[in-house]
Amino acid sequence: MNLLQLAQRLRLEVGASGSDSTVTGATGEWLRLVTWTNAAWEDIQRRHTNWKWKRQSVSFSTVASQGEYAYASAPLSITSFASWDVTRFRVYQTSVNNENFMEYLPYDYFIDAYRIGTTRTTEGYPGVITVSPTNSLLLSLIPPDTSYTISGVYYKNVTTLSVDSDTPDMPDRFHMAIVYLAMQYYAMWESAPEVLARGKSMFDRMILQLEEDQLPPITIDRSH
């Protein structure tokens, strides 16, 4: 469902009146329904940072003698960024046949080990990586040329629905979760306990299904 269809379904579920042919120029109660629909979508996205549907891959060629790469600038140029998956960085030189996982170090450890003395400018194979406080990628050793390709995984930022045709990018079979959560916002505004209870019951059931489908499996470390 797109934004218009979601808001129309919300209006139907709560029994609100008024025109609902477009979200453009919405006013009054229809505007509130559209706003609550979008707020529910944003809140579901914020519920977890690692939803599968927000996971994206990126790869880029190194720049000669450059050890730091901002996510929003070339050669990455990521336009909707939230966070890195620090376990998924890889590197290869010239051919993917020699691809290797990169060693990730927390930022402070990386700085102490690789941004001190002559290692600040030492060039060579970039086998170690960290993420700076501004989410830039720092490599060591510093690549001497453009023959290296770095790949990784990041998660997209929260998206907003603005026009009729805008569609949530989570699986469409779970789109009603947006409606059920928006019903709760409506119910609190209208002091409608029966709508609140129905929206909460349906949302709680569907959000569990969404989490089971769209979150990484839970692993248990039995090594200790």
Side-chain angles (χ1 to χ4, degrees):
M1 289 186 283
N2 58 34
L3 174 58
L4 176 60
Q5 293 166 332
L6 288 165
Q8 290 172 333
R9 182 60 183 267
L10 173 61
R11 187 183 71 80
L12 176 65
E13 292 289 341
V14 302
S17 59
S19 174
D20 63 357
S21 59
T22 180
V23 303
T24 302
T27 59
E29 186 168 52
W30 176 233
L31 174 60
R32 288 194 293 274
L33 294 174
V34 172
T35 301
W36 288 324
T37 299
N38 197 44
W41 164 234
E42 293 180 0
D43 286 349
I44 289 172
Q45 293 176 83
R46 293 189 183 97
R47 196 176 182 94
H48 298 283
T49 60
N50 58 341
W51 290 116
K52 287 182 182 179
W53 78 78
K54 302 189 78 64
R55 178 181 169 124
Q56 300 289 309
S57 298
V58 65
S59 65
F60 63 96
S61 296
T62 55
V63 177
S65 301
Q66 180 174 319
E68 182 171 356
Y69 297 80
Y71 69 83
S73 303
L76 279 78
S77 303
I78 300 173
T79 57
S80 179
F81 175 89
S83 61
W84 291 105
D85 180 345
V86 299
T87 69
R88 307 307 303 173
F89 293 114
R90 305 181 185 192
V91 58
Y92 67 85
Q93 184 178 24
T94 308
S95 170
V96 72
N97 292 336
N98 56 37
E99 187 173 34
N100 295 297
F101 283 106
M102 302 184 75
E103 179 184 1
Y104 173 81
L105 287 181
Y107 178 73
D108 287 340
Y109 292 138
F110 180 95
I111 293 300
D112 289 346
Y114 295 106
R115 290 298 185 266
I116 184 171
T118 59
T119 58
R120 292 175 181 270
T121 56
T122 302
E123 297 185 353
Y125 186 87
V128 184
I129 192 168
T130 193
V131 175
S132 78
T134 59
N135 284 311
S136 292
L137 301 180
L138 275 63
L139 310 180
S140 191
L141 299 171
I142 296 173
D145 52 44
T146 61
S147 66
Y148 299 94
T149 298
I150 310 293
S151 65
V153 171
Y154 69 95
Y155 290 93
K156 294 191 301 181
N157 209 345
V158 172
T159 61
T160 299
L161 308 176
S162 302
V163 299
D164 291 351
S165 60
D166 281 352
T167 303
D169 50 2
M170 72 177 182
D172 56 8
R173 63 186 181 280
F174 298 113
H175 281 184
M176 280 300 296
I178 300 169
V179 176
Y180 296 142
L181 184 55
M183 286 172 62
Q184 298 176 58
Y185 303 155
Y186 168 90
M188 288 184 283
W189 173 271
E190 295 288 350
S191 298
E194 71 287 350
V195 176
L196 179 62
R198 185 160 56 91
K200 186 177 186 308
S201 175
M202 299 299 290
F203 176 76
D204 288 349
R205 182 187 309 170
M206 183 162 284
I207 197 66
L208 288 176
Q209 297 171 355
L210 177 61
E211 289 171 339
E212 181 178 0
D213 186 79
Q214 289 294 306
L215 290 178
I218 297 174
T219 58
I220 300 175
D221 184 357
R222 301 185 184 277
S223 62
H224 300 288

